Every structure is written in C-alpha cells, then in structure tokens.
Amino acid sequence: MSINLIATTTFGLEAVVKRECQALGFQNIKTYDGKVEFTGTEADIVKANLWLRCAGRVWIKMGTFRAVTFTELFDQTKALPWADWIPEDGKFTVVGKSVKSTLFSVSDCQAIVKKAVVEKLKQTYHTDWFDETGASYTIQVGILKDVVTLAIDTSGSGLHMRGYRANALDAPLKETLASAMIQLSFWRKDRILLDPFCGSGTIPIEAAMLARNIAPGIHRKFASEEWERIGSDLWKQARKEAYQAIDYTAMPQIYGSDIDPAAIALAKENAEKAGVDDCITFSVKPCQEVTLPGKYGVLITNPPYGERLGELKEVENMYRALGGIMKTDNTWSTYLITSMEYFETLFGRKADRKRKLFNGRIKTDYYQFEGPRPPKTPKD
Ligand SMILES: C[S@@+](CC[C@H](N)C(=O)[O-])C[C@H]1O[C@@H](n2cnc3c(N)ncnc32)[C@H](O)[C@@H]1O
C-alpha cells in the first residue's frame, strides 16, 4: 500500500527538496509552499530520513479536511485509520499550529485530536485503557485557512541534526540550508570549494559528505526506528547499504577558514565526527588575508550580516575585501548568503542570480556569481 508522505522545507528550498525526492525515486511528487509531498513505502520512509539533505522532517500524511468546528475536527480525525501506525502500547503526543483559521486555539485543537485518536484506538483495539509504554508517535495537527492536515512525524528531531556537530557556536548555519546552498551552486566534487567564514565548518563538512556520498542521517537516530510497522530490519538494511555507498576514494579539495580559533577547533572536531576530516583543510585566518587556492574554484559562504550593534562598518569592509579578493581570479564562482540589502554595491559586482531564502527567521538573499566552467579534461 502506498503511503502519503510530506517532506517539510524552509521557505525557498522546495525546488531543491523536490529534486532530492526525484533522485531518490519517490513517486507522485508535488510541491507546495514549505513542503514537498510524495508517495512511497515503509522503505521509502527510511530512505527519506537517511538521505534527504535539505528537508526539515518527514511526515506521514494521515488525512486532510476542512473543519471550522470542534465537532468537525473530532469526527474527521476519528475517521482516520490511526491503528495503521499506532500500536496498542504506542505513546503519542499531539503538537499543533493554526494559521488564519476559525479554529485558532492550538491547545484546544491538540486536546480534541488526542481525544479523537484515543476513541478510534479504543474501538480498534477493544480496550478502554492504554499504558502508552511503547514507541513514541508525534501527531501534528496543522490548520491553514480552515484546512486541517494530520500527520505523524517519522523523523523525531529535525533532519538538520546530523549528529556530527558538537556544541554550536554563535549563529551556526543549519546543515540543511548549508547543503541546499551547495546544491544550488555549480560546485562539483572535482572543483575546489572555499568557505572563508566557515565557523563550525558546516558548509565544508556538508560538501565533503556530498562528495563522498555519505548519507546525512547515517550518524543519528530517528523516531520511526522504534516503530513496529517499519521494523528494525528495514533500518538495518538501509544503514548497511548507506555505509556500503560511501566513497572514501573521493578526495575533494575543500578549504575552510575563520578568524576565530575556537571555531576552527570545533570545525575540525565536527569534520572528524562526520568522517571527512582528511579532505578539508581548516585554518585560522581573517578573510582579508585569504588567497584563492587554484583555479575554477567555488566560494560558498555565510559571512556575518552586520545586524549586530557596532558590527556594520566592519562587515562592510569585509564584503569590500572579499570583492577585491574575488576579482583577482575571474575563473572563480561566488555564492554568498546575507541579509544586507546593498551587498552587491560593496562586493563591486551585480549577482548573476539571487534567491530569497530564510536563514532561521532572518530574510536573506543567496547571491550567485557564476564564473566560467572549468575546461574539460581529456579522457584517458
Ligand atoms: C555567520 S558565522 C558562520 C557560521 C558557519 N556557517 C557555521 O555554520 O558555523 C560568521 C563567521 O565569520 C567569522 N568572522 C567574523 N569576522 C571575520 C573575519 N574578518 N574574517 C574571517 N572570519 C570572520 C566569525 O568568527 C563567524 O564564525
């Protein structure tokens, strides 16, 4: 039986996640604001969690309907086949959100959904009492303009939690966004990549994981690993395949630098945990002193935005300096995310393309300056 699935995304990344879903072979892929829907099997739930690099979470879509009264919400929730997923000992919680809807009290909606699911499970399992001692299931009731979507979270913590990042420093980039920035660029594993504001190393590490085909979820656990219906064999098999798929012979040339020695120490630790420390060269360096290592490289970076008090002038100077450095070699491409609206003036060049993205709550633009493609190397 095919299962309706939802991969949530940050605003602006829908097309990237759609492409990832296509590459993973999922069926009936449809894109909406903030999510990509598709159909799949239990094995696809495992695959989506292990392999999607840019999605927020993977959900099972249980149903969608219109509701403007609590009775409508209760009855239509109760009509759904909850026991398909939740076993008799399942422990479940309900989370919720409501936007522009008649049913605006999220806590009331959560309580009603919980009650309706319990009533349905009572009928299915012929019991009045649930211990809730088994695996966990998080149900989300999402209401947008009176349309309710009920879904079960298969991921647990968000998919950006790869498991390689130790204590975060200031303003780290989400791993999902870092990976999307890379996938939106023309960087390929045979080209040099440089991040001169690498902080805890997120962009270099995500690039190295892509180059080596390391599944982003390989180092972490997922909520649905405990679920009866999926079963541990599917997870074991998929993890085994993911380990076999790693290409340790890939030796991309990746460079990360930052002015902060503590950030670089952390970046090194993180890269080691992710299994990619041998293909990233990290160094402590102010961006003004960066030189471009080689030709036809790709600079991908998330610099400071100048939003903090007293930081603006310094950041403006950094952007100017970076523009100067990039002018020294026109074979390089630059991809940079920032909320500063006059970035192009400081950098000294108009972007070939700009894409609106959200870095957390900050509205940003992803500026793309494309250099020439590297000449083709003759085949042996
Ligand atoms: C927004 S953070 C980058 C976060 C990084 N993408 C991550 O995931 O951890 C900006 C980084 O720029 C660094 N930085 C600030 N001024 C710098 C300068 N003049 N040269 C190089 N790095 C600088 C900071 O130390 C900080 O790590």
Side-chain angles (χ1 to χ4, degrees), residues 164-165 168-175 178 181 195-204 257-261 263-264 266-267 270 283-290 300-305 308 311 314-315 317-318 337 359:
Y164 65 70
R165 189 146 79 182
L169 281 175
D170 229 10
L173 192 63
K174 267 196 180 171
E175 293 78 348
M181 287 167 61
D195 178 359
F197 300 95
C198 75
S200 54
T202 318
I203 294 172
S257 53
D258 197 285
I259 201 167
D260 179 4
I264 292 299
L266 193 61
N270 293 344
S283 51
V284 179
K285 204 182 282 180
C287 67
Q288 294 84 346
E289 287 175 21
V290 164
I300 307 181
T301 198
N302 167 225
Y305 299 167
R308 286 197 204 139
E311 173 186 81
E314 204 185 321
V315 168
N317 285 334
M318 280 183 223
I337 189 170
N359 180 0

Side-chain angles (χ1 to χ4, degrees), residues 70-85:
F70 288 140
T71 310
E72 283 172 349
L73 177 64
F74 181 89
D75 290 346
Q76 293 180 93
T77 301
K78 194 178 161 204
L80 296 172
W82 294 100
D84 283 358
W85 290 98

Side-chain angles (χ1 to χ4, degrees), residues 264-286:
I264 292 299
L266 193 61
K268 285 182 179 167
E269 241 176 73
N270 293 344
E272 199 177 324
K273 277 203 200 113
V276 293
D277 51 317
D278 56 337
C279 57
I280 309 176
T281 308
F282 285 114
S283 51
V284 179
K285 204 182 282 180

